[in-house]
Amino acid sequence: MYTTVIPIMIVLVGVFARDVQAIQPGKTVSWDTPMGKVVFDGKNHADAGVKCLDCHSKIFKMKKGSTKMVMADITAGKFCGKCHNGTKAFSAKDSSNCGECHKK
């Protein structure tokens, strides 16, 4: 019985691990927005002392693409705005900082 169960468990763990990991620590992910492409740089965040689990799954869901954000949420202190509030990190409310995330 174990000769059948163990390979099945290995396959299932591999499938679920692939779905959960949106991005490896230290890598980048990007997505298009009306204000330009947003690039999340995992290395910059890690260098600032932020760990993956600081945001996942407290602020963001673990599955890539499962969180739908709009800028109004961020400036209201949700999602990225939890830290990008002008105290912990640069303020998302300050229009002079738009280029920090949004690339034309």
Side-chain angles (χ1 to χ4, degrees), residues 65-80:
S66 62
T67 301
K68 303 298 179 203
M69 293 181 281
V70 294
M71 200 63 210
D73 288 336
I74 295 169
T75 58
K78 298 177 185 174
F79 305 117
C80 304

Side-chain angles (χ1 to χ4, degrees), residues 35 37-39 71 74-75 80 83-104:
M35 294 177 59
K37 182 177 283 195
V38 171
V39 178
M71 200 63 210
I74 295 169
T75 58
C80 304
C83 294
H84 288 281
N85 55 16
T87 303
K88 188 170 183 177
F90 67 84
S91 175
K93 289 182 182 180
D94 185 344
S95 62
S96 67
N97 292 328
C98 295
E100 296 290 331
C101 301
H102 296 271
K103 311 297 181 196
K104 293 287 180 181

Side-chain angles (χ1 to χ4, degrees), residues 49-77:
V50 179
K51 295 179 178 33
C52 298
L53 291 177
D54 290 343
C55 300
H56 296 285
S57 65
K58 297 172 191 170
I59 300 171
F60 296 99
K61 296 176 183 174
M62 292 296 285
K63 188 171 182 181
K64 183 178 180 181
S66 62
T67 301
K68 303 298 179 203
M69 293 181 281
V70 294
M71 200 63 210
D73 288 336
I74 295 169
T75 58

Side-chain angles (χ1 to χ4, degrees), residues 1-54:
M1 177 170 164
Y2 287 111
T3 58
T4 304
V5 172
I6 291 174
I8 291 172
M9 293 301 291
I10 291 171
V11 169
L12 288 175
V13 167
V15 168
F16 288 116
R18 176 187 51 86
D19 286 341
V20 169
Q21 292 184 338
I23 185 170
Q24 295 293 325
K27 302 290 182 174
T28 62
V29 66
S30 62
W31 57 96
D32 293 319
T33 75
M35 294 177 59
K37 182 177 283 195
V38 171
V39 178
F40 172 86
D41 189 332
K43 183 177 181 331
N44 285 350
H45 286 79
D47 289 349
V50 179
K51 295 179 178 33
C52 298
L53 291 177
D54 290 343

